[in-house]
Amino acid sequence: MFAKLSRRRFLALSAAAAAGASWFDTPKVLWAAALADAKDAWGGFPVGVQSYSLRNYKLPEAIRHLQGMGVHYVEFAGTHLPPTASDEQIAEALKLAQGADLKVSAHGVNAFSKDHEKNRKIFDFAKKIGVRTITANPQPDKETFDSLDKLVAEYDMRIAIHNHGPGALYDKLDSVVKVIKDHDKRIGACVDCGHFLRSGEDPVKCVLELRDRVYGVHLKDEKETNTKASSNVVIGKGHLDVVGLFRALRQVKFPADGALSLEYEANPMNPIDEMKACLEVAREAIAKSA
């Protein structure tokens, strides 16, 4: 029950408990929180930002901009917090995020190989920053996936394989489906909408086919499809069916503790206005998808 509570419902229960409410009051508390969720701009989705969008900003400034965008989740890229970060650097990053009311939803994109101990270090790092989802680009060999099978079970974390467009290790939907199908269910996908569009795939179809193995989404749109060239545009201005995407995510019951991250790679020196425009489109699409 509690693993599926939204952030708002969890806070509502906590506040009720602090005020002396009994467990017999729980249904009423949850119902009130559910009504609040219905009015939430994000409709209960854990919408956040992949910090790579702000790769040319130092972490404190990036966090400040995210706070101004009204999101409550951040997926850290190695640019801002590498897996090799010291405990002091991790503590500082988490303090900055907490001060901006941001929860760290995931980290990536991380490479994995047949080196089990090296893989373990990334899981140890993910545990320190408190995430369940590691966005990943693992080598597609048996030894690497044997290692990941053991680690996701040991740490109870998820691997979300990130597609990277034409010519990458994972470019088409089939490449992701094939590599995860015989492995621990905690090994799934991060659907990068822009890269799938560049590979000639429909991100909505990808979500529906991957179903409950979708643990992450990189919300991104492209000016063109079927091309190696990358040209991000404000979502909804290119080829992404934004409403259809959120309807598909509702259908597959995208997890509340997954990572649904806007990733905007255009205009890297000053992407703030475009990112805000993307998030406004997402809000409207979420409302229409209900």
Side-chain angles (χ1 to χ4, degrees):
M1 171 182 172
F2 297 106
K4 296 184 179 179
L5 289 179
S6 71
R7 181 175 179 276
R8 187 186 295 274
R9 296 185 195 187
F10 174 79
L11 291 175
L13 276 179
S14 299
S22 74
W23 286 111
F24 293 104
D25 297 315
T26 296
K28 294 179 181 178
V29 173
L30 288 177
W31 176 248
L35 291 176
D37 278 343
K39 298 176 183 178
D40 176 15
W42 308 115
F45 284 110
V47 175
V49 170
Q50 224 294 348
S51 76
Y52 186 74
S53 308
L54 298 168
R55 57 196 176 278
N56 286 318
Y57 294 76
K58 298 294 186 183
L59 183 58
E61 189 178 6
I63 292 291
R64 179 174 60 81
H65 281 303
L66 294 181
Q67 186 176 23
M69 292 178 196
V71 295
H72 297 291
Y73 297 90
V74 58
E75 177 181 351
F76 275 134
T79 309
H80 290 117
L81 187 64
T84 55
S86 66
D87 289 347
E88 291 75 16
Q89 289 171 317
I90 291 171
E92 179 62 22
L94 294 180
K95 181 180 178 181
L96 286 169
Q98 185 178 17
D101 193 24
L102 288 167
K103 179 177 174 56
V104 185
S105 58
H107 187 277
V109 176
N110 291 287
F112 290 94
S113 69
K114 61 181 70 176
D115 187 335
H116 186 67
E117 290 311 310
K118 188 174 181 180
N119 296 341
R120 178 183 292 280
K121 288 179 181 178
I122 298 175
F123 277 78
D124 285 336
F125 166 75
K127 183 177 180 180
K128 287 180 181 179
I129 65 173
V131 300
R132 281 203 69 207
T133 302
I134 302 173
T135 312
N137 186 44
Q139 291 296 313
D141 56 80
K142 181 180 184 300
E143 292 84 357
T144 298
F145 275 81
D146 284 347
S147 171
L148 293 177
D149 276 330
K150 293 173 184 175
L151 291 168
V152 295
E154 178 181 345
Y155 288 79
D156 191 24
M157 290 182 186
R158 305 179 182 120
I159 286 291
I161 294 175
H162 180 276
N163 56 291
H164 266 110
L169 284 177
Y170 307 99
D171 54 355
K172 306 286 282 186
L173 172 61
D174 286 349
S175 66
V176 180
V177 171
K178 180 180 178 181
V179 80
I180 69 175
K181 67 183 180 70
D182 295 323
H183 292 281
D184 191 296
K185 195 173 180 181
R186 284 165 285 207
I187 298 177
C190 171
V191 173
D192 186 298
C193 300
H195 288 320
F196 267 139
L197 286 169
R198 292 196 304 113
S199 293
E201 298 277 16
D202 176 1
V204 175
K205 176 187 174 184
C206 295
V207 168
L208 293 174
E209 185 156 340
L210 288 160
R211 300 185 301 279
D212 58 353
R213 301 287 280 270
V214 179
Y215 301 132
V217 171
H218 283 175
L219 191 56
K220 187 186 298 180
D221 203 351
E222 294 287 332
K223 183 178 180 180
E224 299 175 359
T225 61
N226 274 311
T227 177
K228 278 195 171 186
S230 179
S231 183
N232 279 186
V233 293
V234 171
I235 61 170
K237 300 292 186 182
H239 292 270
L240 179 64
D241 177 0
V242 187
V243 175
L245 178 71
F246 282 104
R247 281 180 178 152
L249 292 170
R250 289 187 191 279
Q251 185 173 328
V252 303
K253 296 181 173 60
F254 185 79
D257 60 351
L260 206 171
S261 308
L262 169 68
E263 185 177 34
Y264 192 74
E265 297 188 25
N267 193 14
M269 300 307 295
N270 186 22
I272 309 304
D273 287 343
E274 291 99 319
M275 291 172 67
K276 288 180 178 179
C278 287
L279 291 168
E280 183 57 34
V281 172
R283 287 188 187 98
E284 294 172 0
I286 287 168
K288 292 176 181 177
S289 72

